[in-house]
Amino acid sequence: DLAMANLRRISVSNCKALTEIEALNCQAELEDLFVARTALDVEGLMRAKWPKSLQCLGLFKNSRKWVNEMTAAVEARGLKVYGTGWY
């Protein structure tokens, strides 16, 4: 549960059983978020309303097509995209 945390950067990778991060939406000062190789709903995270402080977003899964779509959607929101790698 991240409700009481005040995080600027969150990176989650290779946690294939992780399906939820409680209170992620409470991170009012979040600047960077990177998620890869998890069971999190990355489509939902991509559509989420993020704080104005968010600058960089990287959401990856095993689909080059999806990564390309995510990159375009994130850039359309005026955010930087973490890496160009394919996970």
Side-chain angles (χ1 to χ4, degrees):
D1 184 358
L2 299 176
M4 301 305 283
N6 188 23
L7 303 174
R8 290 186 176 187
R9 290 183 179 85
I10 298 174
S11 178
V12 182
S13 180
N14 205 25
C15 300
K16 294 178 177 118
L18 182 65
T19 59
E20 181 180 9
I21 301 175
E22 290 186 33
L24 184 58
N25 59 342
C26 294
Q27 298 305 306
E29 296 185 31
L30 186 64
E31 295 174 1
D32 302 312
L33 176 64
F34 174 83
V35 175
R37 297 182 210 112
T38 70
L40 291 169
D41 175 15
V42 289
E43 289 90 355
L45 290 173
M46 185 170 64
R47 292 186 305 271
K49 183 175 179 175
W50 293 105
K52 292 179 182 181
S53 59
L54 190 69
Q55 299 171 15
C56 193
L57 182 61
L59 305 169
F60 298 93
K61 65 182 190 177
N62 284 337
S63 167
R64 183 178 301 272
K65 180 182 176 190
W66 191 88
V67 170
N68 291 341
E69 291 171 1
M70 179 277 305
T71 298
V74 169
E75 288 175 342
R77 292 175 75 170
L79 301 171
K80 297 176 188 171
V81 178
Y82 259 110
T84 56
W86 185 58
Y87 294 83

